[in-house]
């Protein structure tokens, strides 16, 4: 039984993200499998998904940090609904090909992460897609609970902390399998004004860390601060107005995206 786990908390992602994840798994993962969702809101999630209450962090949440520290609960000695080996996938990920190899690559006890492509010259993991054994590295959560603010101040992001804390160390997926939308799919500025994002050869999962989200790219916008697919001229003119996708004008200019047909085809129930 292949186990996939996702986390949904707060209001950033609606139930449609979970439902689309299940739909993508039915097309790209050989049965039998189960999707476990740890969540604080179950409304609207299809019955095929096994929902469990998202555990509490068990300590004060760090302040002044960008890390998604709630994900650290996955490293507890016990995780609701899970035992053995599990594959975590962020909800803002698009599965585009078979992910069966994510369950057979390496050794069963390995902790395998996507490489952090934003800092390619450092041995850092990116936790959009990772495989681990539930309970095998319980010290990751224990140590965090003992000093949450200190760890957050030192590592900034939970994925940097996990990279350094896992014993005896992490491994990476083959580079071509897990692709970063902004870095591997989106054409460089200003070509993105004329060319839609491509799907890299051999990609299996496309991740969206740091935005934009798949539902925004689907309709040709960077975020919900602007209308779907403003014309190129409208986007350029907004640089000098108050409807920018980013407060910084240069970033606004760069953050333009055309609708992406392969996301429309893949990111659905």
């Amino acid at each position: 039984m292949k186990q996939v786990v996702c986390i949904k908390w707060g209001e950033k992602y609606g139930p449609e993200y979970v439902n689309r994840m299940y739909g993508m798994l039915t097309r790209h993962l050989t049965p039998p499998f189960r999707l476990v969702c740890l969540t604080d809101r179950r409304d609207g999630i299809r019955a095929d998904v096994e929902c469990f209450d998202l555990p509490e962090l068990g300590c004060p949440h760090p302040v002044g940090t960008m890390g998604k520290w709630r994900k650290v609960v996955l490293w507890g000695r016990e995780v609701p609904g899970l035992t053995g080996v599990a594959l975590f996938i962020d909800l803002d990920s698009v599965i585009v090909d078979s992910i069966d190899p994510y369950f057979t690559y390496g050794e069963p006890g390995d902790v395998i992460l996507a490489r952090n492509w934003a800092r390619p010259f450092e041995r850092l993991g990116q936790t959009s897609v990772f495989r681990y054994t539930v309970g095998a590295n319980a010290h990751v959560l224990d140590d965090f609970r003992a000093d949450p603010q200190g760890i957050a101040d030192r590592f900034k992001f939970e994925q940097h902390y996990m990279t350094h804390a896992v014993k005896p160390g992490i491994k990476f997926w083959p580079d071509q399998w897990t692709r970063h939308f902004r870095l591997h799919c989106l054409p460089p500025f200003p070509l993105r004004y004329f060319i839609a994002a491509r799907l890299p050869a051999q990609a299996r999962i496309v991740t969206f860390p740091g935005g934009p989200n798949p539902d925004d790219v689907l309709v040709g916008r960077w975020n919900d601060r602007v209308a779907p697919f403003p014309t190129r001229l409208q986007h350029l003119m907004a640089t000098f107005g108050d409807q920018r996708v980013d407060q910084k004008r240069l970033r606004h200019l760069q953050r333009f995206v055309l609708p992406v047909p392969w996301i429309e085809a893949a990111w659905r129930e």
Side-chain angles (χ1 to χ4, degrees), residues 2-265:
K2 304 178 186 74
Q3 298 184 116
V4 179
V5 58
C6 63
I7 292 179
K8 175 186 173 300
W9 80 91
E11 299 180 354
K12 183 174 182 179
Y13 301 126
E16 70 276 6
Y17 273 76
V18 182
N19 296 339
R20 285 170 175 163
M21 176 67 69
Y22 187 86
M24 291 186 290
L25 292 176
T26 62
R27 295 188 292 277
H28 297 299
L29 184 57
T30 303
F33 72 84
R34 57 196 293 253
L35 175 59
V36 172
C37 180
L38 304 180
T39 182
D40 58 356
R41 302 180 184 212
R42 306 185 185 198
D43 294 349
I45 297 177
R46 58 189 291 171
D48 311 87
V49 179
E50 299 179 41
C51 292
F52 295 87
D53 290 340
L54 177 64
E56 295 297 327
L57 193 54
C59 60
H61 194 284
V63 297
T65 177
M66 295 180 65
K68 297 179 175 64
W69 294 100
R70 195 69 184 270
K71 289 170 72 172
V72 181
V73 299
L74 290 167
W75 298 90
R77 284 180 171 76
E78 296 181 355
V79 179
L82 289 175
T83 58
V85 175
L87 178 70
F88 175 85
I89 305 178
D90 264 343
L91 285 176
D92 59 342
S93 301
V94 177
I95 303 173
V96 295
D97 203 349
S98 171
I99 63 169
D100 286 346
Y102 284 86
F103 289 91
T104 57
Y105 184 78
E107 299 299 324
D110 289 341
V111 176
I112 312 178
L113 287 76
R115 186 179 294 275
N116 189 330
W117 293 108
R119 296 168 67 171
F121 300 110
E122 301 180 48
R123 187 175 172 75
L124 290 174
Q126 210 287 327
T127 56
S128 290
V129 183
F130 69 91
R131 196 187 79 206
Y132 77 119
T133 301
V134 176
N137 273 273
H139 68 277
V140 173
L141 179 57
D142 291 342
D143 293 348
F144 176 76
R145 284 174 169 169
D147 186 19
Q149 191 64 54
I151 286 177
D153 290 344
R154 177 184 174 190
F155 291 102
K156 311 302 181 186
F157 297 91
E158 93 291 336
Q159 58 200 15
H160 297 176
Y161 168 56
M162 289 163 57
T163 296
H164 287 90
V166 165
K167 297 176 182 177
I170 65 166
K171 295 182 179 179
F172 294 120
W173 305 116
D175 290 349
Q176 297 84 1
W177 289 7
T178 312
R179 301 278 80 183
H180 186 301
F181 178 79
R182 280 187 291 110
L183 301 180
H184 299 131
C185 305
L186 192 63
F189 173 79
L191 294 180
R192 63 188 59 171
Y193 277 75
F194 309 98
I195 303 173
R198 69 183 184 93
L199 177 60
Q202 302 181 55
R204 298 181 183 274
I205 301 178
V206 177
T207 63
F208 291 74
N213 287 329
D215 58 347
D216 290 316
V217 175
L218 195 66
V219 295
R221 67 181 178 188
W222 197 272
N223 56 39
D224 58 9
R225 296 179 62 181
V226 299
F229 191 35
T231 66
R232 299 170 181 85
L233 179 59
Q234 287 174 324
H235 192 85
L236 291 169
M237 293 300 294
T239 306
F240 308 100
D242 57 2
Q243 294 297 312
R244 296 191 295 271
V245 300
D246 192 282
Q247 290 299 318
K248 295 185 177 180
R249 288 187 170 87
L250 179 59
R251 286 186 180 178
H252 170 84
L253 281 173
Q254 295 172 333
R255 294 185 172 185
F256 180 85
V257 59
L258 293 168
V260 182
W262 55 263
I263 292 183
E264 182 177 10

